[in-house]
Amino acid sequence: IDELKERHRGKRAPKVLAIGQAGEGLVRFAAICHDKHDYAGRCGMGAVMGSKKLKAIVCRGNRKPEPADAEALRELKKRVQGRIKESVPAQSLREMGTDSTMDLGMMTGDVPIKNWTRGEALEISAEIGGPAMTEKFLVRPAACYGCPIACRRVMKNDREPFRMETGPGPEYETAASFGAMCENADAASLLVINEWCNRYGMDTISCGSAVAFAMECAEKGLIGGELLEGLELEWGNAGAILELVHRIGTRQGLGDILAEGTRRAARKIGGGAERLTCEIKGLDLPMHDPRAYHGMGLAYMMSNRGACHNAHLVHPIEQGIATWTDLGFSENYDGQTSGGKAAMVKKAEDFGQPLSALCMCVFDMWCFGSSDPVDALQAVCGWDFTLDEYLQAGARIWLLKRSLNCLMGLGPGEDRLPEKVLTPVSEGGAAGSVPDQQLLLREYYAERGLDERGRPRREVLEAAGLHDMAERLHPANG
Ligand code: SF4
C-alpha cells in the first residue's frame, strides 16, 4: 500500500484499496483493506477481488467536491457537532473505542462466550473490555476523515510474548470474537491477533468465530491429532489462536478447512459439527447475542447478506443507546421479549439501510436526529428529499436486495436462527431467555409483506415502485 501510494502520488496522496494474502488465497471471509487501517470486513469481498486477480485499486482526486448548498452544510455541521459533543455514547466511543460496550454487554448477556455456550464471564471482560484495553495499550484515539468522535484506536504493547509496534487496536467485535468467544483473557494477544488478521486481510468476526468453532470441535473430539498438527487448541490458549489465524490466512491444514467458513468447514469435518456453528445464510453471527436481545435475532434472520448487526439500527434502538421517538420508536424496549419486535425491526431497517448507501457511519448516527441524514443529503446533493421519502428509499433498498436473493433461490428456510442461540444459557443477564423464532418471523412477514415463500408480495413491490422486479418475481404467466 505504501509503495502504491508513493508511485501514484500527485498533488494529493492517493487512497488505496487492497487485498492481502487471504484475498489472494480466496479465504471466504477475506476483507478489503483501505489505507492499512480500515476494512470492508464482511462477506468475503476480498475473495471476490482475489478471484478476479485484482490486487489493488488506487484513487486520486484532483478537485474539491462542491456541496449544492454550502451554507446549509455549514449549519448542519455546527448542529451535529453540538449533538456529538453532548452525546454520552460519543464520549465513551472517543475515550474507549467500540470496546467500551464490552463491560455493560457482559452484564446484559449481549457478549457471546465460549462459542455461544456460556452466559457470563466477568473475569474476561475485566481484562479485554474498553477500560482495561485503554489503560494498558492506548497510544491515541484516531478518526475517519472529518469525524469528531474518533472511536478508532491506535495502540501498542512493549511486552513479550505479544509485543506490537504502534498500530490499529482491536474493535469490540474483534475483542469479543478472539477474546470472550475463545475464553481468551490475554488482552495483549488480541492486539497481535488483530494485527495479523489485518495483514492477511480477514474479517475478524468470521475468523474469530471459525477459531472458536474449531476449539469446540477439538473439545468434542471431532478434530484430532492429524488435523491439529501439534496445535493445542484449548479454550483460552492465546498462542494456539494466533497460530490458527496464521494457518487460516495461509490456508494450511486445518486452516485450509476453516478458510472455507464455518458452514462449509462443518460439512467437511462431519460428526454433527454443524450444530457447533452459529451462522445465518452462511455469515457468522456478530458479537451480539439474540438471547439477550430478541429483536437483534430477528434482524439477523432478515438481514439480506446474512447475520448482520449494521444493516439496520436495531442495535442502538433495542439496547437504548439511541432512539428516534419522532419515528415511533420507544425509548425503552425489553430486550428479552419477542412479541411486537417486528414493527421496530422493519422500521429500523428502513431507517438504517440508506446509511450504507450514503457511506455514513452508524456510530455517528447514534448522535444524530432523524432528519440530519436527510438534511445532509439535501445540502450535499441538492435533492429535495423528505424524511418520509428517505424511509421509503430504505424500504426499497431492502425489498430490492430481498427480491434478488429470492430470484437466486433463497427461501424462508434460510430465515432461521442457529441452534446455538435457541439454546438457553444458565447464567448471566440473559439466563433462560431464547427468542420466539416463530412469533418473530410470523409478525415480521406480515409487517414487511412477504408471502409464504418469503418473497415480497407483488403489491408491495409495486407500491415501492419496483415494477420490473414485481414482474420478475411474480411473472404474469408464472
Ligand atoms: S466515522 Fe465512525 S468509525 Fe470512523 S471514527 Fe467516526 S465514529 Fe468511529
Side-chain angles (χ1 to χ4, degrees):
I1 287 177
D2 287 341
E3 217 179 292
L4 283 170
K5 275 178 157 321
E6 206 39 56
R7 196 188 307 164
H8 296 279
R9 181 174 290 278
K11 272 192 200 147
R12 288 164 185 238
K15 298 284 181 191
V16 178
L17 292 173
I19 57 168
Q21 197 171 347
E24 291 171 28
L26 309 186
V27 173
R28 286 189 187 264
F29 41 84
I32 300 174
C33 175
H34 169 227
D35 276 7
K36 296 213 300 194
H37 44 68
D38 296 315
Y39 287 80
R42 305 233 69 194
C43 295
M45 290 298 118
V48 174
M49 274 179 71
S51 72
K52 297 179 187 312
K53 310 245 180 274
L54 177 59
K55 174 69 180 167
I57 301 169
V58 182
C59 297
R60 194 185 66 227
N62 49 19
R63 281 193 302 163
K64 203 169 171 226
E66 290 300 332
D69 186 341
E71 183 51 36
L73 191 61
R74 253 193 306 278
E75 278 304 306
L76 176 68
K77 198 171 147 193
K78 219 156 73 187
R79 191 168 81 223
V80 297
Q81 278 177 339
R83 286 189 203 278
I84 287 173
K85 212 167 160 192
E86 283 166 20
S87 156
V88 174
Q91 282 166 21
S92 137
L93 283 168
R94 182 177 171 79
E95 276 166 31
M96 291 176 284
T98 52
D99 200 19
S100 59
T101 58
M102 169 79 76
D103 291 293
L104 185 60
M106 188 59 84
M107 286 189 254
T108 59
D110 188 43
V111 183
I113 306 152
K114 200 181 183 188
N115 202 27
W116 305 88
T117 58
R118 288 180 60 190
E120 191 177 73
L122 295 167
E123 72 287 1
I124 295 180
S125 56
E127 293 297 324
I128 66 169
M133 297 293 278
T134 303
E135 196 186 317
K136 286 185 254 197
F137 310 120
L138 184 70
V139 176
R140 61 176 183 277
C144 302
Y145 177 74
C147 175
I149 296 181
C151 78
R152 285 169 23 195
R153 307 289 87 183
V154 176
M155 291 182 162
K156 75 181 274 203
N157 176 37
D158 294 324
R159 298 207 188 142
E160 297 293 354
F162 296 110
R163 209 172 67 77
M164 193 189 86
E165 300 294 330
T166 303
E171 301 281 340
Y172 162 76
E173 298 287 329
T174 312
S177 61
F178 286 105
M181 276 276 279
C182 299
E183 273 195 332
N184 172 23
D186 189 326
S189 75
L190 298 176
L191 267 63
V192 176
I193 291 165
N194 181 59
E195 174 67 10
W196 275 105
C197 283
N198 286 352
R199 283 173 182 256
Y200 289 118
M202 295 194 288
D203 168 21
T204 55
I205 298 177
S206 284
C207 192
S209 299
V211 172
F213 158 75
M215 284 177 149
E216 197 174 353
C217 285
E219 183 185 55
K220 294 199 159 39
L222 298 179
I223 50 179
E226 208 173 297
L227 266 183
L228 291 173
E229 294 176 279
L231 194 66
E232 289 177 17
L233 203 52
E234 284 151 12
W235 298 108
N237 184 345
I241 296 170
L242 179 58
E243 172 57 25
L244 191 49
V245 166
H246 287 308
R247 292 187 193 181
I248 294 170
T250 54
R251 276 192 172 270
Q252 289 174 52
L254 175 60
D256 189 34
I257 295 172
L258 297 173
E260 289 296 297
T262 53
R263 181 184 275 198
R264 285 183 173 83
R267 283 186 199 136
K268 182 132 197 194
I269 290 166
E274 280 97 343
R275 299 182 66 190
L276 309 184
T277 62
C278 198
E279 49 84 8
I280 297 171
K281 301 182 178 81
L283 191 65
D284 298 284
L285 265 66
M287 300 295 113
H288 302 283
D289 197 323
R291 290 168 291 197
Y293 294 98
H294 297 192
M296 183 59 101
L298 177 59
Y300 285 164
M301 283 192 276
M302 300 315 303
S303 175
N304 287 306
R305 65 178 190 171
C308 178
H309 62 304
N310 276 337
H312 45 77
L313 286 161
V314 171
H315 176 222
I317 293 168
E318 192 177 28
Q319 299 208 10
I321 297 168
T323 195
W324 296 272
T325 46
D326 57 324
L327 294 182
F329 293 116
S330 160
E331 281 183 318
N332 192 14
Y333 287 99
D334 175 1
Q336 293 168 29
T337 298
S338 296
K341 284 283 169 70
M344 179 274 281
V345 170
K346 179 195 172 287
K347 195 176 278 183
E349 288 169 344
D350 294 350
F351 190 39
Q353 288 279 320
L355 293 179
S356 299
L358 295 172
C359 295
M360 274 182 64
C361 171
V362 286
F363 301 129
D364 283 308
M365 193 61 221
W366 288 6
C367 316
F368 289 0
S370 58
S371 289
D372 289 337
V374 185
D375 292 348
L377 197 55
Q378 284 178 353
V380 173
C381 301
W383 298 346
D384 193 13
F385 233 61
T386 64
L387 179 56
D388 203 39
E389 286 167 328
Y390 180 88
L391 294 171
Q392 285 170 27
R396 202 159 49 241
I397 294 169
W398 191 95
L399 287 167
L400 193 55
K401 289 178 183 171
R402 176 73 179 190
S403 301
L404 287 167
N405 273 349
C406 291
L407 284 177
M408 288 186 278
L410 178 131
E414 291 276 354
D415 303 333
R416 289 285 176 271
L417 286 170
E419 187 181 326
K420 281 272 181 200
V421 294
L422 293 173
T423 308
V425 285
S426 55
E427 77 280 7
S433 160
V434 286
D436 185 336
Q437 180 171 245
Q438 294 313 323
L439 176 64
L440 287 164
L441 286 172
R442 195 167 59 244
E443 290 187 356
Y444 183 90
Y445 268 46
E447 195 72 40
R448 182 59 88 183
L450 306 182
D451 66 16
E452 67 293 343
R453 287 166 59 187
R455 302 173 305 179
R457 294 183 187 281
R458 173 179 264 277
E459 61 273 21
V460 172
L461 293 171
E462 298 277 8
L466 297 169
H467 304 289
D468 183 45
M469 185 53 84
E471 191 48 43
R472 279 168 189 245
L473 211 51
H474 304 277
N477 57 3

